[in-house]
Amino acid sequence: MSQHVLITGGAGFIGSHLADELLAKGYRVRVLDNLAPQVHGEDARRPDYLDPQVELLIGDVCDPAAVRNALRGIDAVYHFASAVGVGQSMYEVVHYTRVNNIGTAVLLEALIEKPVEQLVVASSMSLYGEGLYRNPAGETRIVGERSLEQLKRGEWEWKDTDGSVLQPAPTPESKAPALASVYALSKLDQERLCLMIGRAYGIKTSALRFFNAYGPRQALSNPYTGVLAIFASRLINDSPPRIFEDGWQQRDFVSVYDIARACRLALETPAAAGEVFNIGSGQAYTVRDIAQRVADVMGKEQLAPEITGKYRVGDIRHCYADITKARSVLGYSPQVTLDQGLAELAAWLEGQAAVDRVAQASAELSARGLAL
Ligand SMILES: NC(=O)c1ccc[n+]([C@@H]2O[C@H](COP(=O)([O-])OP(=O)(O)OC[C@H]3O[C@@H](n4cnc5c(N)ncnc54)[C@H](O)[C@@H]3O)[C@@H](O)[C@H]2O)c1
């Protein structure tokens, strides 16, 4: 009999793609999702993109009865339900702690009552804080958090003790977490809670640290999600992308299809149990480059990005994934190139009407002294 899988938060961006991936491989898929208004809009109903074969249970992961009900007959769980937004987590502290930390605790108590075979939890690169760096001699350097004074002076890059600029290096799973937001703290908490309870109760558990995911179905009207969606939503409204700092900061953009494959591999690989994996593209791109590429594929290359020189407290300078472990243990290898992925994103965007709430989001951060 085919495995019956529950995805919490499976009506969202990554979860719905994972549902497609699993259905294509013969799994049965159930989703528990409360269709959170920030992601799905007010008066939300079942998203059109969710495959009709997915059984959708509308409910809150913090509600023990809803979770127990969702676990009936389930063999494996992907825990994706989360409030997702670094900046917003710094003032909606109760909401992020409730959904992410308490929601995970509620799920785990239900699993203690009725264990499943396997559990995969969505974690995040945000828990690294800054990525790994090297000095000009090639020596590894771990950096902390840039001071407010440094940001005010516009000194964006990290420097070694002798004043030389440090270069970003691929970040492995072994880099110690450096938590700079309530969101990052909650992702580490989700990861550790799942691994701890999984080990104690014999549930084969793995945690996947996603880097910056992109692809169709991104919640464009939610200004707190990834930078790519934010740029795209500005461009759809004929406004140029606005870039913090100088735009030379680097990130790892990974196609949602590659993430979905990695999630399936984590379920199908016995050696994944008890382990944490980076899931990224393994490539670093500057935010300037990304803004220009998004504008190009949307045919809006005349809308040159605005480099604002502004900053957000808690933003890191550079981070991209070392995916060696996922390659060797899971057999993961990214298949979608950035250009292919952006072209598909652009085609999907043609049909989307995103409300540009970026200005409002920036104002909310500024009002709290979290951004300049
Ligand atoms: N998108 C990224 O780049 C990225 C990067 C790193 C980690 N992640 C993690 O991956 C997971 C999926 O992210 P996503 O990008 O698909 O986000 P998303 O916002 O599109 O999906 C999250 C889903 O969770 C649901 N949800 C929120 N609160 C809930 C609750 N209380 N009960 C039940 N469902 C609830 C939402 O309605 C939504 O459908 C999250 O755990 C996120 O932290 C995402």
Side-chain angles (χ1 to χ4, degrees):
M1 210 182 70
S2 64
Q3 264 202 311
H4 200 172
V5 175
L6 172 69
I7 310 174
T8 71
F13 166 45
I14 302 177
S16 67
H17 282 281
L18 172 61
D20 293 348
E21 170 76 19
L22 293 173
L23 288 169
K25 298 288 175 183
Y27 292 84
R28 291 163 66 204
V29 178
R30 180 183 294 157
V31 160
L32 175 67
D33 197 300
N34 70 347
L35 304 181
Q38 183 161 294
V39 182
H40 297 276
E42 300 297 334
D43 312 319
R45 48 184 187 82
R46 182 186 174 106
D48 293 338
Y49 56 67
L50 201 60
D51 190 294
Q53 294 177 75
V54 171
E55 179 194 1
L56 171 63
L57 303 181
I58 297 175
D60 195 315
V61 74
C62 300
D63 172 0
V67 173
R68 274 198 299 271
N69 180 47
L71 284 172
R72 278 179 305 114
I74 289 296
D75 305 303
V77 175
Y78 286 93
H79 182 37
F80 283 16
S82 273
V84 183
V86 172
Q88 191 180 37
S89 76
M90 295 301 281
Y91 54 91
E92 292 199 6
V93 183
V94 172
H95 177 65
Y96 275 74
T97 304
R98 190 184 79 84
V99 175
N100 298 4
N101 306 52
I102 303 296
T104 303
V106 168
L107 170 68
L108 291 172
E109 282 200 2
L111 288 175
I112 291 168
E113 259 175 50
K114 194 195 154 300
V116 290
E117 292 282 313
Q118 284 170 284
L119 172 63
V120 178
V121 58
S123 184
S124 167
M125 52 85 76
S126 64
L127 59 77
Y128 289 121
E130 287 283 355
L132 203 65
Y133 286 81
R134 288 193 199 288
N135 68 11
E139 294 159 333
T140 298
R141 289 285 180 267
I142 304 279
V143 299
E145 214 175 309
R146 292 173 296 176
S147 68
L148 194 55
E149 290 66 40
Q150 182 181 349
L151 293 173
K152 279 186 180 157
R153 286 195 302 270
E155 286 173 23
W156 313 122
E157 294 290 356
W158 281 99
K159 294 196 177 130
D160 212 353
T161 39
D162 65 359
S164 56
V165 173
L166 296 176
Q167 296 302 319
T171 301
E173 292 84 354
S174 55
K175 183 192 176 268
L179 306 168
S181 68
V182 173
Y183 172 72
L185 174 64
S186 75
K187 296 312 287 183
L188 181 64
D189 199 42
Q190 288 186 319
E191 184 181 290
R192 293 278 165 90
L193 276 171
C194 288
L195 289 166
M196 185 188 296
I197 297 292
R199 182 174 304 122
Y201 291 89
I203 303 168
K204 295 181 206 97
T205 304
S206 50
L208 304 185
R209 295 177 177 165
F210 303 152
F211 280 63
N212 294 68
Y214 72 93
R217 309 177 190 164
Q218 268 184 284
L220 298 181
S221 301
N222 175 359
Y224 303 99
T225 57
V227 67
L228 246 164
I230 293 172
F231 289 167
S233 105
R234 296 269 305 172
L235 287 161
I236 287 177
N237 290 289
D238 283 324
S239 309
R242 301 185 75 236
I243 295 181
F244 289 110
E245 305 185 13
D246 60 359
W248 296 116
Q249 58 272 44
Q250 295 177 23
R251 296 289 184 277
D252 182 327
F253 295 93
V254 54
S255 162
V256 71
Y257 299 103
D258 286 327
I259 292 193
R261 265 190 293 274
C263 291
R264 177 176 56 78
L265 289 169
L267 203 68
E268 294 175 350
T269 309
E275 299 291 334
V276 173
F277 298 94
N278 282 342
I279 305 298
S281 70
Q283 309 280 329
Y285 290 94
T286 68
V287 171
R288 270 181 194 246
D289 185 18
I290 285 294
Q292 196 56 58
R293 282 170 187 249
V294 178
D296 289 350
V297 292
M298 292 176 69
K300 303 217 176 181
E301 51 279 29
Q302 75 284 3
L303 292 173
E306 271 174 32
I307 310 291
T308 64
K310 295 184 176 182
Y311 56 84
R312 289 182 299 189
V313 173
D315 265 1
I316 55 154
R317 182 63 180 169
H318 305 293
C319 188
Y320 69 104
D322 181 335
I323 54 172
T324 311
K325 185 175 172 187
R327 279 188 193 279
S328 65
V329 179
L330 301 179
Y332 164 73
S333 81
Q335 311 279 309
V336 184
T337 66
L338 187 61
D339 284 341
Q340 285 167 345
L342 288 182
E344 194 211 2
L345 185 70
W348 173 74
L349 287 168
E350 301 264 312
Q352 302 298 308
V355 183
D356 181 0
R357 298 207 201 107
V358 175
Q360 183 199 330
S362 300
E364 284 185 21
L365 291 177
S366 300
R368 292 169 175 84
L370 297 175
L372 178 74

